[in-house]
Amino acid sequence: MAAFSAWFWNERFWLPHNVTWADLADPAPGVEYPKAGHLLTALPLALGIFAVRILFERFIASACARSLHIQPGAGRRAQPNAVLEKVFISITKNPDSRHLDGLSKQLDWEVRKVQRWFRHRRNQDKPSTHTKFCESMWRFTFYLGIFTYGVQFLWQTPWMWDTRHCWYGYPYQVMTRGLYVYYVTELAFYWSLMFSQFRDIKRKDFLIMFVHHLATVGLISFSYVNNMARVGSLVLFVHDTSDFLLEAAKLANYAKSQRLCDFLFILFGVVFFITRLVIYPYCRTIRLTDTLVPTSEICADLFSAWSLSGEAGSLIWIWIALAQLRETKGQNQRLQ
């Protein structure tokens, strides 16, 4: 483990030339640089967010759903049948004609009755509109809250208006309290999403979303440890800008307010296109190797930043972008 740790945290990869982890470990009095240990705060905070989500959905979101006449209604449940339940769990949830014929003879049921049982059993595992409304309302509330905080915090920072300030003096950039709160809260939220996936009803995109959340947690954590929190805060803000609009559109859809849903979804599409397909790629072109940035004035020889801006990094970012687009496509289908 020691050899792996030494290899993984190689200073030639993570830090500029002639900078060591020891240089960041003992700053001047009153100065604080990011440390890996700071991120441990995100774990109990994630559990707290998870607990708040349960209470929020049960008492606040559920009450809002009922006020909009969205009832918990369990829907039609399949009648208990040990044979069919075993087939459903162990073999297939969508039996073909061969399985249907065999089960029909075994139970002395009509084929259509067996088909109907499997249809009811599949629907039984699907979340109700009430459940989906509560989940979306929780995400809408968090995304709107963290977006509002991001606006209030980043509006006062110089790197919001000139991205070159993300690199001035790097890596000796002080970690402010506001930036720390923003970063750790975002990290804790994505940890809580990973926890909640195992509690929520399992969906078809379970594995994709789990990998997506895991990649997000990794990127947030590593960018914090090597003090790329300034540029990381901009990436988080760009991604938060459209998320609450999508959740608002889903809430309107569940409430059967179609005109509002259409308006919010069009607004979401416009904001998503501008922020993630225009602003985000454009800002990422301002890299350490670009002639637009005076690297000798800012920092040089930072392999990790170069690698995440070069070919290898491009593949990572393209994969994440595709995952986001697939996630959005799945959410669009659920909207419909």
Side-chain angles (χ1 to χ4, degrees), residues 172-226:
Y172 302 106
Q173 296 172 340
V174 177
M175 173 57 62
T176 64
R177 180 172 181 80
L179 183 55
Y180 174 76
V181 170
Y182 189 34
Y183 235 70
V184 171
T185 303
E186 290 271 17
L187 178 60
F189 177 71
Y190 282 101
W191 271 119
S192 73
L193 288 181
M194 293 179 66
F195 300 153
S196 65
Q197 274 200 294
F198 295 95
R199 168 185 174 270
D200 297 338
I201 295 174
K202 197 169 183 178
R203 294 183 170 91
K204 293 180 181 179
D205 60 354
F206 175 87
L207 182 58
I208 294 173
M209 293 308 303
F210 183 80
V211 173
H212 176 270
H213 298 330
L214 189 63
T216 303
V217 166
L219 289 170
I220 293 175
S221 300
F222 293 136
S223 63
Y224 182 88
V225 170
N226 71 335

Side-chain angles (χ1 to χ4, degrees), residues 242-251 265 268 328 331-332 335:
S242 60
D243 286 341
F244 72 93
L245 292 172
L246 178 61
E247 298 302 330
K250 291 161 70 174
L251 290 174
F265 187 72
F268 159 76
T328 304
Q331 290 171 332
N332 296 348
L335 264 177

Side-chain angles (χ1 to χ4, degrees), residues 243-265:
D243 286 341
F244 72 93
L245 292 172
L246 178 61
E247 298 302 330
K250 291 161 70 174
L251 290 174
N253 180 66
Y254 299 144
K256 300 189 183 305
S257 180
Q258 197 58 45
R259 288 186 179 180
L260 180 59
C261 174
D262 293 342
F263 169 75
L264 288 171
F265 187 72

Side-chain angles (χ1 to χ4, degrees), residues 228 287-289 302-311 313:
M228 288 187 179
R287 300 172 300 206
L288 297 177
T289 52
L302 181 58
F303 183 70
S304 63
W306 174 86
S307 66
L308 291 178
S309 299
E311 293 181 3

Side-chain angles (χ1 to χ4, degrees), residues 78-99:
Q79 67 182 83
N81 187 292
V83 174
L84 296 181
E85 185 69 24
K86 183 176 181 180
V87 173
F88 183 86
I89 295 174
S90 306
I91 301 177
T92 178
K93 297 180 180 181
N94 294 279
D96 55 23
S97 58
R98 182 175 61 84
H99 282 108

Side-chain angles (χ1 to χ4, degrees), residues 10 23 49 83 107 116 119 132 176 214 275 302 325:
N10 191 316
D23 297 331
I49 290 175
V83 174
L107 298 172
R116 189 162 53 249
R119 184 172 67 252
K132 291 187 287 186
T176 64
L214 189 63
T275 55
L302 181 58
L325 289 173

